[in-house]
């Protein structure tokens, strides 16, 4: 759908990654990067995806306490928490791994 529907224009997308696997998110990012890089389209995307936050050339804006601030994707909570979880899942799942769970 993304390859055939996006043309010249401005697109506002709300969590387009919600139904996409990580592999499909990467494919979607290739499409976004291609269209935006050639100046064909512009995108405003609300996302929680740490993968989409890393899109080369993207401006990441964070809304907090009624203020909009440009930040590095590495400074977003979504990126940091995902990175930390993947680096050490046991640390984050410790509360699930008690004797009561068996």
């Amino acid at each position: 759908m993304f390859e055939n529907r996006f043309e010249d224009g401005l697109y506002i997308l709300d969590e387009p990654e919600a139904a996409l696997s990580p592999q499909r998110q990467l494919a979607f990012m290739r499409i976004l990067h291609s269209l935006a890089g050639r100046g064909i389209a512009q995108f405003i995307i609300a996302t929680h995806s740490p993968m989409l936050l890393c899109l080369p050339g993207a401006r990441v804006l964070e809304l907090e306490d009624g203020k909009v601030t440009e930040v590095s994707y590495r400074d977003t909570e979504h990126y940091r928490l995902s990175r930390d979880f993947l680096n050490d899942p046991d640390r984050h799942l410790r509360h699930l791994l008690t004797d009561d769970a068996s």
Side-chain angles (χ1 to χ4, degrees), residues 23-44:
Q23 179 91 13
R24 294 286 183 201
Q25 286 187 49
L26 289 172
F28 179 56
M29 290 171 67
R30 280 191 292 277
I31 294 166
L32 292 174
H33 188 59
S34 173
L35 292 171
R38 294 183 311 198
I40 294 172
Q42 292 182 346
F43 298 90
I44 298 172

Side-chain angles (χ1 to χ4, degrees), residues 27-99:
F28 179 56
M29 290 171 67
R30 280 191 292 277
I31 294 166
L32 292 174
H33 188 59
S34 173
L35 292 171
R38 294 183 311 198
I40 294 172
Q42 292 182 346
F43 298 90
I44 298 172
I45 302 174
T47 185
H48 291 102
S49 168
M51 292 175 70
L52 286 183
L53 290 170
C54 299
L55 183 68
R59 289 181 61 205
V60 178
L61 304 175
E62 188 171 69
L63 176 63
E64 190 171 324
D65 298 327
K67 296 169 74 175
V68 177
T69 309
E70 186 169 357
V71 297
S72 163
Y73 71 86
R74 287 184 173 95
D75 293 331
T76 64
E77 178 182 0
H78 303 299
Y79 176 84
R80 287 192 320 263
L81 182 58
S82 297
R83 179 201 60 210
D84 292 348
F85 178 82
L86 292 171
N87 284 336
D88 189 3
D90 291 341
R91 182 173 65 105
H92 294 276
L93 299 174
R94 198 169 304 148
H95 69 283
L96 299 177
L97 305 173
T98 64
D99 291 336

